[in-house]
Amino acid sequence: MVEAPRPPGTEPGARAGRTAAEVRAARRLVQAPSNPALQQLAGLAARLLAASASQVSLLTDVQTIGAVSGQDPDLVGSTGALADSLCTVTAAGGAPLVVEDAASDERVASLPPVTSGAVGAYLGVPLVGHDGHVVGALCVFDPSPRVWRSSDVEVLTELAVAATAELELSALSLEYESDRLRWQLAVAAGGVGSFDWDLRTDVLEWDEQVLELFGYGADDFDGTMGAFEDRVHPDDLERVRRLLGEAVRTGGGFEAEYRLVLPGGTTRWVKARGQVVPGADGRPAHLLGAVYDTTSEHGADVRVARVLESMSSAFFSLDRDWRFTYVNAEAERVLQRPREQMLGQDMWELFPGAVGAEFEVQYRRAMTTGEQVDFEAYYPAPLERWYEVRAWGDPDGLSVYFLDVTARHAAQEQAEAERAATQEALRTAERAQQAAERTAQRLTLLARVSAELTATLDTEEAVARLAQHLVPALGDWCIVTLVDEHGSMRDIGAWHAQEAMRPVVQRYRELRLSSTTPSSFLHRALRENRPVLVPSGATEAIAALLRGRARELLQQLAPRCAQVLPLRARGRTVGLVTLFRGEGSEDFTSEDSLIAEQVAERAGLALDNARLYGQQQHMAEGLQRSLLSAPVEPNHLQIVVRYRPAAQAAQVGGDWYDAFLQPDGATVLVIGDVMGHDITAAAAMSQVRSLLRGIAYYSGEAPAAVLSGLDAAMQGLAVGTTATAVVARLEQSDDERERGVTRLRWSNAGHPPPMLLTPDGTVTTLAGLHHDLLLGIAPQLPRIDEEIALDRGSTLLLYTDGLIERRDQDYDRGLLQLREAIGELAKEDLDDLCDGVLQRLLPEHAEDDVALVAVRLHPQDRPRPPQAGPHRVPPTPPAAAPR
């Protein structure tokens, strides 16, 4: 019985882990297709060692069976856990593993093949790749215990070398064919198209390449996602929809390969990649990307498999007297003799031509030294094949393995011939990729500039952002100029790609307009209202039209070429952009000019929109404020009012506030909102407010009666509108004054409820027991007064719905936020409380206007506090003293 020394790592229970390098080396061989020659080697191993079964295993992160003999052929290609395999133990040791009685051998006794009875005796040899890493094992085994001889180990070792060589050849051939196919596909991938899906308008824009890929003409593509989905293969449509939805939802990237069904039924494969671009509000605005044809990639696998599956190998063995002891079928073909003529015969007598040749030298060296020798040989017609011959000696004789390397030789020759074509294909693919990247970058620039310019309606901010986006995409540095209604120019934005040059550009911007002459390129672009190109030699051309320090700064900046673009909108030039490129940069191309003009067009419109917005907002806010008057300030009552217009220009609202005295000295507070946001609403608000003031003052009635009278007057005078309002009246008898309380009486016509802040900091919503109808609905219905006693030091807040209502939150949430804000600001003076509430609750760009009136009841047993401001009542006060 042969007892091989136990190598490190194979002691009982040991399972050496696979390194990353070993896994990579093995995975390279696993990827090769099924190999008949490998099957022959597995069968030869079983026959030579008289074993019932043999197996070739490759070890990555799993065991993959590459060939079997004496087992189910379907096992080839199957995988299993490394921890369950005897081959894992063999590979971990890096040396032959000899197991004569598996059930009693602690190294393998617990493994499933042993415990199941399938393996009683085992002999395994590591497979070592060309880079020295163990990639697997060749093994033979019997279900019953047996004795393994040292010659068995040697034979299996030699066969393992042959098996490794066969695996390496298969992998090399596959890698070569894969490289060749990859370059062919790179050439076919040159036609790349771009698309832009506007997520806000759901409009899809394709360039001519995408239209052609999808089988559309420019006239029959309607720019909808429906037209896109009409071409996607039904079996791919749901997957593509899901991937698009995920990209839009996460704001990330999109990548998919799918089929198109073209008119006439033709199927085309395409691959698309894109990126979601957010808008100014941070939400996804555009999905930009590219698409190209990948049809040629599908169908190549069959051709590769057909070439690789034609591989074969030859093997024969000799005894120490140089007589043939075994010849396989492929060896018969290579040696061109039937095995019956060779077995038992002297090799040198059968093949006298080999005597004295390299065959004899190498074979005798292997027989003598026992080392493996490798050399290549060419067999002429009728074979006309190149072989790599591997021979190794052992005590029983010599084993010879022929590896057909004709394909490798042909591949080397073909590689030389195809190298130039491959390099050209690479250059073509690189040019196509660069063109696609430039297109995507310019589309992204256009989308980003549009988003940034529309993110603000402040002219200065919009222009300042523009310069930074144009550099370095369209120029090395840039200056943006604003032109007012009178044609006066002002440079207000500048940027340079190099941080060190930015102070120089800024100083040049400050001096340029005052130092330039009317014949300058800048003035010419403004006069002629068209782009002006300054070709090579721009430094000298521009400097000739400058004076003083500005000329020195320009020479320091040293532009090689420049371009001035008018920013136009609504028939007038509102600005100019001057782009400069320095030494080392290319001239402006037609493509550069086109994208620059598109940017200028959008920038001009954004600048003019900003100008119009400012004018309209100023007009709207002035009109609204002119309709509101300053409140009264009775003794010991501090009244504060606020009005905030909506962010949208010319949105004159119907919100109003009021505070005045009735003839009996009671203070009346009013908050109201006429439906609508236009000039008509403002006019109606003015009528309703005036009617309410007159009715309340003349009648001296309580709030419910005042609202009923207003409702009747609106009907009788045909004020065709509806409105909400709260009328509150602060009253106080002599007894109540002695007790330091004031009575609040109010009536609510469909308006948000008042908020009460008591001296102890408690905030209460005065919802009351009843909510009457809006004004202008049913004037005949009675209205109800609500009543509550207020301690001095209390604060009452009335407001319009724009303070608490949002599209993205419900009404109750808004009320809760208002109560929390008032509670947090309870200790502030009344002005700061009102300002703080507006700051906390209103967004940066409010969608609705807001009116607010607040009153604080200061104690009456001391002078009016300074923070309450001056005492202010009408010149002719009512008969009763104000409270």
Side-chain angles (χ1 to χ4, degrees):
M1 179 179 72
V2 177
E3 180 65 37
R6 181 176 293 164
T10 60
E11 60 273 3
R15 297 291 182 269
R18 304 282 291 154
T19 67
E22 290 173 334
V23 170
R24 284 195 301 271
R27 185 171 287 125
R28 171 176 169 268
L29 302 183
V30 169
Q31 293 174 349
S34 177
N35 193 325
L38 200 62
Q39 288 291 126
Q40 293 173 5
L41 283 175
L44 178 61
R47 290 194 300 272
L48 291 179
L49 276 69
S52 61
S54 64
Q55 180 173 306
V56 177
S57 296
L58 294 172
L59 307 177
T60 57
D61 51 350
V62 295
Q63 172 184 257
T64 301
I65 298 178
V68 297
S69 177
Q71 302 182 71
D72 185 353
D74 291 340
L75 288 174
V76 176
S78 63
T79 60
L82 292 177
D84 296 340
S85 172
L86 282 78
C87 292
T88 303
V89 180
T90 303
L97 176 64
V98 181
V99 179
E100 298 183 339
D101 185 354
S104 61
D105 194 318
E106 294 181 353
R107 296 174 296 178
V108 299
S110 62
L111 298 179
V114 177
T115 59
S116 68
V119 176
Y122 173 90
L123 175 59
V125 176
L127 299 178
V128 180
H130 68 89
D131 54 3
H133 294 298
V134 176
V135 297
L138 170 65
C139 67
V140 294
F141 54 89
D142 281 322
S144 302
R146 63 170 282 181
V147 175
W148 302 104
R149 298 172 301 168
S150 60
S151 60
D152 295 335
V153 177
E154 293 171 355
V155 169
L156 194 61
T157 300
E158 294 169 353
L159 291 176
V161 173
T164 303
E166 188 64 34
L167 288 167
E168 290 283 358
L169 176 62
S170 296
L172 179 64
S173 299
L174 180 59
E175 289 168 358
Y176 165 74
E177 185 65 17
S178 297
D179 287 344
R180 187 177 65 84
L181 291 174
R182 200 155 43 239
W183 300 132
Q184 291 176 348
L185 293 175
V187 174
V192 180
S194 63
F195 61 89
D196 179 359
W197 180 20
D198 191 326
L199 302 176
R200 296 165 298 189
T201 63
D202 205 32
V203 173
L204 188 61
E205 293 184 6
W206 287 346
D207 65 10
E208 293 180 1
Q209 182 66 29
V210 179
L211 289 172
E212 181 180 349
L213 286 174
F214 279 70
Y216 280 111
D219 295 332
D220 56 4
F221 175 66
D222 61 6
T224 65
M225 286 301 290
F228 164 77
E229 294 186 348
D230 285 345
R231 290 290 193 263
V232 179
H233 194 287
D235 294 340
D236 297 340
L237 183 57
E238 287 303 319
R239 174 174 58 87
V240 173
R241 283 174 174 169
R242 175 174 53 80
L243 293 174
L244 285 170
E246 290 176 357
V248 174
R249 185 175 63 257
T250 63
F254 163 73
E255 181 172 352
E257 188 173 27
Y258 50 90
R259 292 165 289 177
L260 303 178
V261 180
L262 303 180
T266 302
T267 299
R268 172 178 291 162
W269 281 89
V270 297
K271 190 165 188 178
R273 291 176 179 165
Q275 176 66 43
V276 172
V277 178
D281 57 0
R283 298 178 180 177
H286 289 264
L287 176 59
L288 304 176
V291 59
Y292 56 92
D293 191 337
T294 60
T295 306
S296 61
E297 297 181 17
H298 298 270
D301 294 341
V302 175
R303 295 194 300 273
V304 176
R306 190 180 301 122
V307 173
L308 297 178
E309 289 176 0
S310 64
M311 293 290 190
S312 60
S313 300
F315 175 83
F316 64 85
S317 59
L318 306 167
D319 63 16
R320 301 200 68 82
D321 293 325
W322 302 99
R323 292 189 296 267
F324 284 98
T325 58
Y326 175 80
V327 180
N328 70 359
E330 181 62 18
E332 290 182 284
R333 190 181 71 84
V334 172
L335 299 177
Q336 302 180 49
R337 289 177 184 265
R339 70 184 69 190
E340 292 79 8
Q341 294 182 7
M342 293 185 284
L343 292 175
Q345 301 299 314
D346 185 282
M347 175 184 178
W348 309 120
E349 293 179 357
L350 288 177
F351 300 97
V355 177
E358 187 177 10
F359 284 102
E360 181 180 13
V361 175
Q362 298 292 353
Y363 286 173
R364 291 189 183 279
R365 184 163 69 89
M367 181 81 82
T368 302
T369 63
E371 298 175 352
Q372 177 178 314
V373 296
D374 301 334
F375 61 97
E376 289 190 356
Y378 177 73
Y379 276 71
L383 292 180
E384 295 184 344
R385 311 290 292 177
W386 279 93
Y387 292 93
E388 181 179 312
V389 183
R390 297 182 179 180
W392 60 96
D394 58 43
D396 296 326
L398 184 72
S399 296
V400 181
Y401 176 74
F402 281 67
L403 178 66
D404 190 335
V405 294
T406 304
R408 185 169 68 194
H409 276 261
Q412 291 172 348
E413 294 174 1
Q414 186 178 4
E416 292 296 329
E418 293 182 352
R419 180 168 290 120
T422 301
Q423 292 175 346
E424 180 60 28
L426 278 172
R427 287 191 290 269
T428 301
E430 288 175 359
R431 287 193 296 267
Q433 181 67 25
Q434 290 169 358
E437 290 175 354
R438 286 195 302 270
T439 300
Q441 289 171 358
R442 298 193 189 294
L443 288 173
T444 301
L445 169 65
L446 196 59
R448 187 170 65 247
V449 168
S450 298
E452 289 289 345
L453 288 172
T454 56
T456 176
L457 289 174
D458 181 271
T459 305
E460 300 285 344
E461 182 179 356
V463 173
R465 289 179 176 177
L466 177 61
Q468 298 181 29
H469 286 296
L470 297 180
V471 174
L474 294 177
D476 295 329
W477 53 290
C478 168
I479 297 179
V480 181
T481 306
L482 206 62
V483 179
D484 63 18
E485 293 87 345
H486 308 292
S488 298
M489 293 185 290
R490 182 163 54 97
D491 287 337
I492 60 173
W495 197 251
H496 200 292
Q498 299 178 20
E499 184 175 358
M501 297 300 293
R502 289 171 193 166
V504 181
V505 170
Q506 293 296 337
R507 182 58 180 157
Y508 177 67
R509 175 186 67 82
E510 295 169 359
L511 300 175
R512 181 175 73 149
L513 291 179
S514 62
S515 303
T516 191
T517 66
S519 58
S520 69
F521 297 103
L522 189 70
H523 287 83
R524 177 180 162 190
L526 179 60
R527 284 195 307 271
E528 298 178 3
N529 190 30
R530 65 176 181 85
V532 173
L533 180 65
V534 185
S536 297
T539 299
E540 293 76 14
I542 298 174
L545 304 174
L546 288 173
R547 299 182 297 268
R549 175 61 175 159
R551 177 183 297 178
E552 298 174 6
L553 292 170
L554 179 75
Q555 292 170 341
Q556 185 177 350
L557 292 166
R560 191 178 63 82
C561 58
Q563 188 173 21
V564 186
L565 299 161
L567 310 183
R568 290 187 54 78
R570 299 177 179 90
R572 62 180 294 267
T573 299
V574 297
L576 297 161
V577 169
T578 310
L579 293 167
F580 300 88
R581 289 185 177 180
E583 290 298 331
S585 297
E586 298 178 354
D587 291 336
F588 290 102
T589 65
S590 58
E591 184 181 359
D592 294 331
S593 298
L594 177 61
I595 193 70
E597 289 173 9
Q598 291 175 340
V599 170
E601 179 182 346
R602 301 189 184 194
L605 186 60
L607 288 171
D608 203 47
N609 285 344
R611 179 184 62 83
L612 293 175
Y613 170 80
Q615 294 175 351
Q616 293 173 0
Q617 187 179 45
H618 180 73
M619 177 190 67
E621 186 175 346
L623 177 59
Q624 182 77 20
R625 294 187 184 280
S626 69
L627 298 175
L628 304 174
S629 59
V632 297
E633 292 279 2
N635 195 20
H636 295 93
L637 290 182
Q638 180 185 1
I639 300 177
V640 172
V641 295
R642 294 288 187 269
Y643 174 75
R644 293 290 184 271
Q648 186 173 350
Q651 281 265 332
V652 182
D655 292 19
W656 90 92
Y657 59 78
D658 208 348
F660 54 88
L661 300 180
Q662 287 182 307
D664 62 356
T667 301
V668 177
L669 305 174
V670 181
I671 195 75
D673 186 1
V674 171
M675 301 306 168
H677 290 86
D678 51 25
I679 298 297
T680 302
M685 179 269 283
S686 179
Q687 287 182 284
V688 172
R689 177 177 178 272
S690 298
L691 285 172
L692 189 149
R693 286 173 64 90
I695 293 170
Y697 184 83
Y698 183 77
S699 67
E701 295 284 358
V706 170
L707 286 174
S708 294
L710 174 61
D711 217 354
M714 288 171 62
Q715 182 184 47
L717 297 175
V719 180
T721 188
T722 57
T724 66
V726 171
V727 177
R729 172 185 163 103
L730 293 171
E731 312 170 358
Q732 190 180 54
S733 65
D734 293 337
D735 176 63
E736 288 168 336
R737 182 181 181 90
E738 290 295 328
R739 292 187 287 113
V741 298
T742 299
R743 187 166 61 259
L744 171 67
R745 196 189 306 271
W746 81 95
S747 183
N748 192 329
H751 199 80
M755 290 289 179
L756 175 63
L757 171 64
T758 58
D760 63 0
T762 302
V763 181
T764 304
T765 302
L766 299 183
L769 300 176
H770 303 280
H771 248 220
D772 295 334
L773 285 177
L774 283 69
L775 297 165
I777 301 295
Q780 71 278 8
L781 295 179
R783 296 187 178 275
I784 305 299
D785 278 324
E786 306 282 356
E787 187 176 319
I788 188 174
L790 306 180
D791 293 328
R792 305 303 291 194
S794 298
T795 301
L796 180 67
L797 183 73
L798 299 108
Y799 53 92
T800 54
D801 57 2
L803 185 64
I804 60 172
E805 290 186 353
R806 304 282 182 276
R807 293 182 182 180
D808 56 352
Q809 76 176 22
D810 59 29
Y811 179 81
D812 291 337
R813 176 62 180 166
L815 283 178
L816 177 60
Q817 291 178 342
L818 176 57
R819 283 198 300 271
E820 291 175 349
I822 294 173
E824 293 169 0
L825 298 165
K827 295 182 179 180
E828 303 293 335
D829 64 49
L830 194 55
D831 281 288
D832 291 341
L833 185 147
C834 292
D835 292 335
V837 165
L838 292 173
Q839 181 179 4
R840 296 188 183 202
L841 268 67
L842 290 184
E844 182 179 356
H845 300 290
E847 298 176 355
D848 196 4
D849 52 348
V850 176
L852 181 150
V853 57
V855 58
R856 178 162 289 174
L857 285 64
H858 292 292
Q860 295 170 297
D861 58 355
R862 63 198 72 169
R864 178 182 176 92
Q867 66 268 25
H871 177 261
R872 184 169 59 245
V873 294
T876 305
R883 310 186 190 324

